[in-house]
Structure formats: structure tokens, C-alpha cells
Amino acid sequence: MAPLPDFADLPMAALAEWMEGDAPPPVDRWHPAREGRIDIRIAADGRWFHEGGEITRPAMVRLFSRILRREADGSHVLVTPAEKLAITVEDAPFVALEARFEGEGEEAQVAFRLNSGDVVMLGEAHPLRLRDGPAGMLPYLHVRGSFDRPLEARLARSVYYDCAAHADAHGRLWSGGVAWPLGEIA
């Protein structure tokens, strides 16, 4: 894993370069024979729990998040070449905690820092979509995985409001040459 970048101060081009060198392991190619379940739960607010106790070490959350995969049936598993363990995810496995904005209109770029330490640039490879969440229609960011079984990040409320402040008159957030809908802006 690449060391985490300084999200607040790095130029957007440097964040994009860091993201290219921070590819997660190829979990979609791993199909171990040993399968089971582990008492790990990702709460709707993005906190990780093991056997009821919160995992408070960011490095552990980051490690587990890198081996997370979504199955065809919608379930979530932690997978290594040796075993696959089902876990519980209450909403989305990730939460976007910060956003960075650069440029305007079709030239704009938006980057998000997730609770896992990952950085994701909003664009065609990482689209934003509205879907039903715990509080109605909410924006979710595609982090990784196939588009038919994505691992997503829900935008934290403060991040949503930051995005709304950067939205155009039609309530769309521009990034990567695409206007992404944010839904009703309250």
C-alpha cells in the first residue's frame, strides 16, 4: 500500500498520480476453497466493528478495506488467496469524509477522501449516483468493483453540502467532463 497522501495540500494532479500507484490487490481473481463468516460489521456511519468492539486503528480498517469484495448476491466478503469470509455491511462500506474541488464547469475535478484512507476522483470510472439510503435518496460514489456489484461510498452530510455549494444552477456537480446529479439540495 502506498503511504496516504496529504489530501488537503497536494495538487489534484499529484492526488491522481498517487491513486494510480495505490491499486488494491486483485480480489476479483481470488476464489479460495475455504469459506466462512467472521463477526465483522461495517456500520452505516462507516465505523468497523469486530465481535462488537470498534476497530479504531486506521491501518487495520485500511487493510481490511483493501481485501473487501462484493459478491453477485450483493453480500460483502473479505477475501485472500486462502479464504473468503462473509461480513455484514449496513449501508455502503465506505464514507466520503472530505472533498477537494479544482476548476469550474466541464474542466472541474472533484476528489474524495474516504474513511479507509482511499482517494477517489469523481469521473466515469468512479461515478456518482443517487440511490435509496438510510435517509432517502442519497448520493453514492462508485469506489471499485464491477458496476453490477460496486463497492460504494456514501457522501457524509458535510461533504454533500460542500458538493452542493459547488453545484451548478441545475443541482449538478461537474467533474471529469460530466455533470453528476446531487438530488434535492435542502
Side-chain angles (χ1 to χ4, degrees):
M1 289 186 289
L4 297 176
D6 181 357
F7 186 77
D9 293 328
L10 273 182
M12 204 65 87
L15 283 175
E17 185 178 316
W18 177 85
M19 288 184 307
E20 285 185 28
D22 188 50
V27 296
D28 286 335
R29 295 195 310 241
W30 296 341
H31 303 286
R34 183 174 172 192
E35 297 183 13
R37 179 153 200 69
I38 187 170
D39 186 8
I40 289 183
R41 176 178 60 91
I42 304 174
D45 63 6
R47 292 181 301 149
W48 288 60
F49 294 86
H50 177 251
E51 296 181 352
E54 185 175 358
I55 301 171
T56 58
R57 290 182 48 207
M60 289 299 295
V61 170
R62 181 153 171 78
L63 175 68
F64 286 140
S65 76
R66 308 289 285 176
I67 59 170
L68 183 63
R69 179 173 81 194
R70 189 150 183 209
E71 300 292 276
D73 65 2
S75 65
H76 293 82
V77 296
L78 298 178
V79 63
T80 69
E83 71 184 339
K84 177 172 76 169
L85 301 171
I87 67 168
T88 301
V89 177
E90 291 179 353
D91 182 23
F94 304 107
V95 177
L97 300 175
E98 289 183 82
R100 288 265 316 274
F101 306 90
E102 188 174 282
E104 294 183 24
E106 292 184 29
E107 302 299 315
Q109 293 290 322
V110 180
F112 296 96
R113 185 184 61 80
L114 309 182
N115 60 320
S116 61
D118 290 306
V119 175
V120 178
M121 191 82 62
L122 176 60
E124 291 198 18
H126 302 284
L128 190 66
R129 70 181 182 107
L130 297 173
R131 73 167 176 82
D132 201 24
M137 292 303 285
L138 299 171
Y140 288 81
L141 177 67
H142 179 100
V143 175
R144 64 178 172 266
S146 64
F147 286 102
D148 61 331
R149 34 184 195 151
L151 292 175
E152 296 177 310
R154 183 180 39 78
L155 301 189
R157 184 182 304 264
S158 61
V159 172
Y160 172 79
Y161 287 128
D162 286 346
C163 290
H166 287 84
D168 67 15
H170 303 287
R172 301 172 306 181
L173 180 64
W174 283 89
S175 184
V178 177
W180 304 97
L182 287 175
E184 291 290 320
I185 298 174

